[in-house]
Each structure stands twice: as structure tokens, then as C-alpha cells.
């Protein structure tokens, strides 16, 4: 990562921690799941309103490290308004990217700004922090009450 990329990455993470997007409880939601990452202590809840196969609304609550909160905040922005199939596709791309199997610079993707997590596979202990909310999102879609990264 060049130093300017590292700086941008840190700025975006700090900004989302200061002002997490779509943070709070979603009353009367259709789907929800709880996610826990025992390695780091990240603990979040994902709430969805799914209607006509579209993620009409998505919010989250909980507490976690900066990477977890930024990834969750950015995920809610990326998935709101997407169909379930589109959302699962973006999940697959994000998941491959954090494992180092998709490289946004050369592989096609629809990750947008989420591509800034592309080097996290070099820090295995942080991969679960970045991926927790995504696994919890899929858990909510599948009506699983809780998801653990262990
Ligand atoms: Zn964490």
C-alpha cells in the first residue's frame, strides 16, 4: 500500500467510527441476526427490512474495533436498496477480497469504496473484524439468530 492509500484508509476508518452510518435499532424489522467475533470482542446486531426480495433498509447496533465498525457502516451503505441476489454477490466479492482471492485492481467487482479493505488479508487477525458484519448480514438473510466467527 502506498502511503497516500494508507492515509486515505485510516481517514475513512476514523470518519466512519466518528459518524457510523445507519446506526441504531430498526423497529419492526423483518430479519435480524447477532454477530460475535470472540478473537477481538466485536459484537454487533444487523437489522434488515426485506420486501419484494429487496433490502429496503438496514441498520446496525453494537460495539467493536474501528475496523469492524467502519466495515459495518460502509456495508450498510453498499447493501441498502440492493436485491438479495445483488447483496449476496457483493458479500462474495468482499469475502474473497479480504481473503486475498479477489484483487480489486485487476478483477471485476462492484465493491466501490469497500475496495479500500483490499490489503487486509495481510493481517489475518483483522480479517474477522472486517468480515463479521458481512457474515451477520447473510445470517440475517437466512434467518439465523446468531453468527460467530469461531
Ligand atoms: Zn475487531
Amino acid at each position: 500500500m502506498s502511503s497516500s492509500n494508507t492515509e486515505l484508509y485510516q481517514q475513512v476508518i476514523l470518519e466512519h467510527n466518528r459518524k457510523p452510518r445507519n446506526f441504531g435499532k430498526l423497529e419492526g424489522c423483518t430479519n435480524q441476526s447477532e454477530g460475535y467475533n470472540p478473537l477481538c470482542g466485536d459484537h454487533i446486531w444487523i437489522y434488515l427490512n426485506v420486501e419484494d426480495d429487496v433490502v429496503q433498509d438496514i441498520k446496525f447496533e453494537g460495539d467493536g474495533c474501528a475496523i469492524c465498525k467502519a466495515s459495518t457502516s460502509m456495508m450498510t451503505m453498499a447493501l441498502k436498496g440492493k436485491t438479495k441476489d445483488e447483496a449476496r454477490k457483493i458479500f462474495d466479492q468482499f469475502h474473497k477480497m479480504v481473503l486475498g482471492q479477489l484483487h480489486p485492481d485487476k478483477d471485476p467487482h462492484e465493491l466501490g469504496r469497500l475496495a479500500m479493505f483490499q490489503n487486509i488479508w495481510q493481517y489475518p487477525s483483522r480479517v474477522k473484524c472486517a468480515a463479521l458484519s458481512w457474515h451477520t448480514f447473510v445470517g440475517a438473510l437466512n434467518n439465523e439468530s446468531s453468527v460467530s466467527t469461531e
Side-chain angles (χ1 to χ4, degrees), residues 37 39-43 63-69 125-126 128-130 132:
N37 171 17
L39 266 184
C40 177
D42 306 313
H43 193 186
D63 208 2
C65 66
I67 289 174
C68 172
K69 274 165 80 176
S125 65
R126 309 326 298 260
K128 287 178 176 179
C129 299
L132 176 67

